[in-house]
Amino acid sequence: MNHHMMAPEKLSDFSFYSLYRPDIFLIILVIGILYYRFYGVQSSKIKATLLQKIFFTVGLVFLYISKGSPLNVIGHHYLFSVHMLEMAISYLVVPPFLILGMPHDFYLKWMKRDKGLIRLIHFLIQPLIAILVFIALFSIYHMPVIFDAIMANGLLMFFSHSLLFITAFTMWWPVLCPVEELTTLSELKKVGYVFASGVLLTPACALIMFSSHVLYDTYAHAPLLFSFLPPLEDQNSGGILMKVLQEAVYGTVLGHIFYKWVKKERAKDKEDLVKIKLTAAAKNS
């Protein structure tokens, strides 16, 4: 049975709990409190910078918006385009903010722990593996038969979204790793990695954008929230929205990479200049 057969005709028919998920809000709030307790106060052994605090807080806010706000209900029961917006926020926006929001020393300390777990993580964050695993899972998820099966089963949906969320972190890590000692890609390779990711995501988005019929039974007979957005237009809009947001996020990440690249080159030039001056001074003396 299609899960939309039981969906209310109007959003206002949902309970406050369903629309605003106070349980998810409390979980995210606890994560935020623990973050500031361990990394955000003056007495913390590992201190986060102001920018890291902002990044982490913004990441948590976006996480709640995608998973705990009415956006989640609309995307699950009514509009594919909103579901794609939720996906874009969850996997393209939240992970970068959370990765950049953690203090550098946290990663260095954590990487010295369980060696077996660390080896597994090192394997998963290898650039080629990281990008292919996430793109493959994302593409498979959007196959109509698989998508409809996942959306009709709450447990399967939770598992699928959790797996995508975890692999989104491994996908972003090679380009956003904030610790020099753990970086495996040069800036030039990071640029290539981002471009490759965008190219590999394009087929899944293009299939949705240019389809001439509704691909997903999940939304084919969903209650119509807006008369100007019937199922096919909603589906095409979802593909366009995902692609536009992907390009916006990737463009921002590329800007971040170029900024760090220029900063590193300037620091290197200054070091070389100091060495030249010291060498000249030594010869003159």
Side-chain angles (χ1 to χ4, degrees):
M1 179 182 291
N2 191 298
H3 77 287
H4 290 298
M5 293 178 67
M6 302 301 293
E9 290 293 325
K10 297 181 296 183
L11 199 61
S12 58
D13 292 333
F14 282 90
S15 67
F16 177 86
Y17 177 87
S18 297
L19 288 173
Y20 296 100
R21 294 302 300 268
D23 55 335
I24 293 178
F25 176 80
L26 286 175
I27 291 171
I28 292 174
L29 181 63
V30 168
I31 292 173
I33 291 172
L34 290 174
Y35 174 86
Y36 280 91
R37 165 67 179 82
F38 288 106
Y39 310 120
V41 295
Q42 195 62 34
S43 58
S44 301
K45 292 182 180 179
I46 299 176
K47 296 184 181 66
T49 65
L50 176 60
L51 187 59
Q52 287 168 345
K53 293 176 188 175
I54 293 172
F55 281 150
F56 197 84
T57 303
V58 170
L60 291 183
V61 170
F62 274 118
L63 181 59
Y64 174 73
I65 290 172
S66 66
K67 298 300 181 185
S69 75
L71 199 72
N72 184 267
V73 173
I74 296 171
H76 181 61
H77 292 285
Y78 301 103
L79 295 172
F80 177 77
S81 56
V82 175
H83 176 73
M84 291 300 274
L85 174 61
E86 178 197 345
M87 297 279 285
I89 293 173
S90 297
Y91 311 130
L92 301 181
V93 176
V94 172
F97 276 117
L98 296 186
I99 289 173
L100 295 175
M102 292 304 296
H104 296 181
D105 288 346
F106 164 81
Y107 293 111
L108 293 174
K109 182 178 179 181
W110 190 76
M111 287 293 181
K112 293 177 182 177
R113 295 188 177 179
D114 190 329
K115 299 300 181 183
L117 179 62
I118 298 308
R119 281 195 293 271
L120 173 62
I121 292 172
H122 270 297
F123 174 76
L124 293 175
I125 61 176
Q126 292 299 311
L128 186 60
I129 293 171
I131 192 172
L132 291 180
V133 168
F134 176 76
I135 299 298
L137 289 176
F138 184 85
S139 300
I140 291 170
Y141 173 89
H142 285 97
M143 290 179 176
V145 174
I146 294 175
F147 183 91
D148 288 328
I150 290 173
M151 295 297 281
N153 186 306
L155 186 61
L156 192 56
M157 184 168 62
F158 173 79
F159 173 77
S160 301
H161 288 185
S162 298
L163 185 59
L164 280 169
F165 190 63
I166 292 169
T167 54
F169 275 90
T170 60
M171 187 270 290
W172 279 115
W173 180 264
V175 290
L176 292 176
C177 175
V179 185
E180 191 67 32
E181 294 89 331
L182 304 176
T183 302
T184 57
L185 293 179
S186 66
E187 274 68 22
L188 184 59
K189 289 180 179 178
K190 287 179 182 179
V191 171
Y193 182 97
V194 173
F195 275 113
S197 179
V199 170
L200 290 171
L201 269 177
T202 298
C205 294
L207 176 67
I208 296 166
M209 279 190 287
F210 300 115
S211 176
S212 58
H213 63 280
V214 178
L215 296 170
Y216 307 109
D217 290 339
T218 298
Y219 297 98
H221 306 291
L224 202 61
L225 279 189
F226 307 110
S227 59
F228 61 84
L229 201 60
L232 183 57
E233 284 74 8
D234 171 48
Q235 177 181 281
N236 297 150
S237 299
I240 293 170
L241 187 61
M242 171 60 80
K243 190 59 183 172
V244 168
L245 288 176
Q246 175 221 315
E247 294 296 337
V249 172
Y250 283 19
T252 303
V253 170
L254 285 173
H256 172 77
I257 293 170
F258 279 118
Y259 170 76
K260 291 188 69 176
W261 194 352
V262 171
K263 189 177 179 181
K264 184 186 291 186
E265 288 301 316
R266 285 179 177 174
K268 186 179 178 181
D269 290 342
K270 286 182 180 179
E271 288 181 6
D272 291 341
L273 185 60
V274 169
K275 288 179 182 178
I276 292 172
K277 287 181 177 180
L278 289 174
T279 302
K283 287 181 178 179
N284 292 333
S285 63

